[in-house]
Amino acid sequence: MNPNLECRQGWDAVAVYDACHLMWVHVTCRDASQHRERIDMRRAEGVKRGADWSEINSRSFEAPPLDWLVIDTATPYADDAASLLMRSVQSGEGRP
């Protein structure tokens, strides 16, 4: 997770140094009840990776700039999200 500009600037610098194209993607779930259900289900299945719901809600996160690709996982299925990302990469969209 890269929650703020300071974190993101480090990755921007790496991309410039290596002369690479960096495309920022913000993956979100705007449906809070669905998001919580996914987190709770993951924990109930014994998967200990990732944060619990209270940790997620206590995080500070600066909204991504408007030129980022935003994928809302509340709407598309995983395959749809992957296809959207691939189309964006192939078309050259995203931050240069």
Side-chain angles (χ1 to χ4, degrees):
M1 186 170 107
N2 296 286
N4 59 46
L5 182 59
E6 185 178 354
C7 292
R8 297 170 193 155
Q9 285 175 333
W11 291 112
D12 288 333
V14 170
V16 169
Y17 179 81
D18 285 339
C20 296
H21 175 80
L22 176 65
M23 180 178 172
W24 285 100
V25 179
H26 177 69
V27 179
T28 187
C29 182
R30 291 187 181 137
D31 182 333
S33 63
Q34 186 179 53
H35 190 182
R36 182 174 186 158
E37 182 180 317
R38 290 175 183 171
I39 298 301
D40 291 346
M41 184 183 312
R42 179 176 69 197
R43 308 287 275 176
E45 292 173 353
V47 178
K48 301 298 183 197
R49 71 173 171 76
D52 65 24
W53 187 245
S54 64
E55 292 170 316
I56 289 169
N57 282 304
S58 67
R59 293 176 179 165
S60 63
F61 185 81
E62 295 173 9
L66 295 176
D67 60 345
W68 282 25
L69 172 63
V70 176
I71 297 177
D72 183 0
T73 62
T75 310
Y77 293 104
D79 289 344
D80 295 335
S83 294
L84 175 62
L85 179 57
M86 288 307 300
R87 284 194 309 273
S88 295
V89 168
Q90 290 168 346
S91 71
E93 293 178 14
R95 286 177 32 167

